[in-house]
Amino acid sequence: MKQKPKFETIAIKSTENKYSDSVPVSVPIYLSSTYKRCNDGSYMNDFVYSRTNNPNRSIVEESIAILENGKHAYAFSSGMAAISAVFQSLKAGDHILLPDDIYFAVRKLMDEVFKRWNLSCDYVDMTDCELIKKTIKPNTSLIWLESPSNPQLKLSDIEAIAEIAHQNKAICAVDNTWLTPVFQNPLNLGADIVVHSTTKYFGGHSDVIGGCVVVNDELLAEKIKNIQILSGAVPAPFDCWLIGRGIQTLYLRVKKQSKNALKLAKYLENHPKIEKVLYPGLKSHPQHLLAKKQQKKGFGAMLSVLIKGTEEETIKISTKLAYFTTATSLGGVESLVEHRKSVEGINSETPNNLLRISVGIEHIDDLIADWENALSMNNE
Ligand SMILES: *Cc1c(COP(=O)(O)O)cnc(C)c1O
């Protein structure tokens, strides 16, 4: 070109990517929304436009698929977007079985959004296989499980319930957010879909919102992928990068968190101010044997405690803790505690005296001392 480019043109051209041939060890963040074509109009690889596909997203999707032992994973901008995609893959008129103590936002999503789209549902106690069989209808196309459930830590027999679903030509989806593939692989137990809020343990540092859906079946994969790309609730490259970074330490974090949780649960179970500890790793949990069978490598880092006391006393104890931040959410490196009923609102069936605990990676001696202190201060 004869003409010397002007300032504005130089500003664009001089900042384009000149180093795409180098191979950084840490994954760069690919903020580009679009990818250059070759001279013949073709593309060098799968990357065309970032809503459809993006290197940071592909890395996370491939990683989660392998970890969950699935063929395909699709990342979403939140756990709720991932869950919505599964509901959107159904057809109008379908019936769904949902756990009676399902994550409260999913209940709202169903009741306030999807019922208008002519999906119907029944909320069932998913610890009871006979009840599931009785409630299933000819048009039931999906059984949804959360095991353990939130916040009561009830377990569902995934293998048995997936079998019931299949006998009815329905599919079984498991929200595996609370355990991660380190402790539970629902696809290995016969489930057809696994969903995650990657906001929690995958991210692991309470600094990103994300979700994903993992499937084996090619038809189902095609449907979910279409919804992901066309509805467009896709995660940003930086969010994917954070989740990818989180995955690198997922195993170390959750192993330590689960170990801490078991020790804390055992301590709290013997404390006179505690009415009950809900944790599948305790022998006192009604489904401890199922937990040992289905969560082969550990019991997870979530537990709930029932305080001997009123709602006010329960909330007060949570504010006396120094190392457990009073906040919603879970799965980060820092311990959190939450009076669950206040978050869930007036229709919540959660007991007034329940505190939900997400155990972090701090030293267990400090965590136990913190509870000892908070529970003794309540007398003052
Ligand atoms: C947090 C959570 C969700 C929702 O995920 P978001 O990332 O907040 O949209 C769904 N299911 C479970 C079990 C969760 O803990």
Side-chain angles (χ1 to χ4, degrees):
M1 227 176 308
K2 278 196 190 119
Q3 188 180 313
K4 197 168 173 271
K6 307 275 188 309
F7 187 97
E8 300 95 305
T9 311
I10 295 169
I12 302 302
K13 205 62 195 167
S14 63
T15 54
E16 76 180 7
N17 186 8
K18 283 175 280 207
Y19 302 113
S20 58
D21 289 346
S22 66
V23 183
V25 172
S26 169
V27 186
I29 302 168
Y30 291 80
L31 290 175
S32 191
S33 59
T34 187
Y35 289 82
K36 194 176 162 183
R37 290 186 196 233
C38 304
N39 288 343
D40 64 1
S42 68
Y43 281 96
M44 278 163 74
N45 47 37
D46 288 343
F47 304 113
V48 174
Y49 181 63
S50 266
R51 171 159 48 74
T52 330
N53 207 348
N54 159 289
N56 295 105
R57 195 166 98 208
S58 289
I59 286 169
V60 163
E61 290 177 338
E62 284 163 27
S63 167
I64 296 178
I66 296 168
L67 294 173
E68 277 292 9
N69 201 21
K71 285 204 188 103
H72 307 278
Y74 300 102
F76 289 85
S77 54
S78 68
M80 291 307 292
I83 292 167
S84 293
V86 176
F87 292 162
Q88 285 171 343
S89 75
L90 305 177
K91 60 180 192 305
D94 279 0
H95 176 256
I96 310 173
L97 293 187
L98 297 168
D100 55 0
D101 61 342
I102 192 166
Y103 178 67
F104 77 111
V106 181
R107 184 188 281 257
K108 272 172 86 85
L109 173 71
M110 179 50 64
D111 292 347
E112 296 173 23
V113 179
F114 281 103
K115 279 188 180 167
R116 281 191 280 115
W117 293 78
N118 207 18
L119 290 179
S120 62
C121 73
D122 276 301
Y123 295 99
V124 195
D125 177 356
M126 292 293 183
T127 64
D128 185 346
C129 287
E130 288 312 308
L131 186 64
I132 295 169
K133 282 184 201 161
K134 265 187 231 153
T135 321
I136 213 163
K137 294 181 182 178
N139 62 335
T140 303
S141 63
L142 173 65
I143 302 182
W144 189 272
L145 302 177
E146 254 178 54
S147 185
S149 70
N150 178 5
Q152 309 233 28
L153 291 113
K154 294 199 282 183
L155 302 191
S156 307
D157 188 333
I158 296 172
E159 205 165 10
I161 297 170
E163 182 70 34
I164 296 171
H166 297 154
Q167 280 164 4
N168 198 63
K169 294 196 166 55
I171 57 174
C172 175
V174 179
D175 183 337
N176 203 28
T177 300
W178 277 32
L179 286 181
T180 82
V182 174
F183 297 129
Q184 179 167 274
N185 278 117
L187 296 179
N188 293 357
L189 298 166
D192 305 277
I193 300 180
V194 170
V195 303
H196 279 282
S197 165
T198 50
T199 310
K200 315 293 168 53
Y201 291 102
F202 279 94
H205 296 76
S206 307
D207 53 11
V208 61
I209 299 284
C212 74
V213 178
V214 191
V215 293
N216 275 323
D217 181 74
E218 298 297 332
L219 261 168
L220 197 51
E222 210 44 50
K223 275 190 200 167
I224 299 291
K225 184 181 174 186
N226 240 345
I227 294 163
Q228 178 201 38
I229 292 170
L230 299 175
S231 294
V234 290
F238 181 49
D239 292 357
C240 293
W241 186 88
L242 284 171
I243 290 160
R245 159 171 278 209
I247 290 173
Q248 295 177 330
T249 56
L250 174 68
Y251 188 90
L252 295 175
R253 284 185 283 106
V254 299
K255 279 281 182 182
K256 162 100 179 181
Q257 285 170 287
S258 174
K259 242 173 140 175
N260 277 354
L262 181 59
K263 285 186 184 158
L264 182 66
K266 284 182 173 164
Y267 167 77
L268 290 171
E269 189 171 42
N270 291 316
H271 197 287
K273 289 265 180 61
I274 301 289
E275 181 187 311
K276 203 172 182 186
V277 177
L278 310 173
Y279 184 65
L282 293 176
K283 289 204 180 75
S284 59
H285 190 283
Q287 295 157 302
H288 180 60
L289 291 180
L290 176 60
K292 278 171 86 169
K293 184 179 130 216
Q294 133 176 318
Q295 305 171 200
K296 291 203 170 69
K297 294 180 218 113
F299 301 108
M302 292 300 296
L303 59 136
S304 291
V305 290
L306 302 177
I307 306 288
K308 276 185 195 156
T310 62
E311 180 161 1
E312 290 73 54
E313 285 161 348
T314 301
I315 294 171
K316 194 170 153 210
I317 287 169
S318 73
T319 63
K320 300 280 185 231
L321 291 158
Y323 299 133
F324 292 77
T325 304
T326 49
T328 195
S329 197
L330 58 119
V333 289
E334 65 287 298
S335 292
L336 300 180
V337 63
E338 181 178 40
H339 183 251
R340 199 61 196 157
K341 182 145 191 146
S342 337
V343 189
E344 294 181 347
I346 42 164
N347 292 328
S348 161
E349 284 162 28
T350 300
N352 289 332
N353 62 337
L354 181 144
L355 293 177
R356 191 185 79 178
I357 303 167
S358 171
V359 183
I361 62 169
E362 302 89 345
H363 199 288
I364 184 60
D365 294 351
D366 295 325
L367 298 183
I368 287 176
D370 199 18
W371 273 92
E372 192 170 11
N373 186 46
L375 289 168
S376 68
M377 279 163 85
N378 193 39
N379 273 342
E380 290 155 18

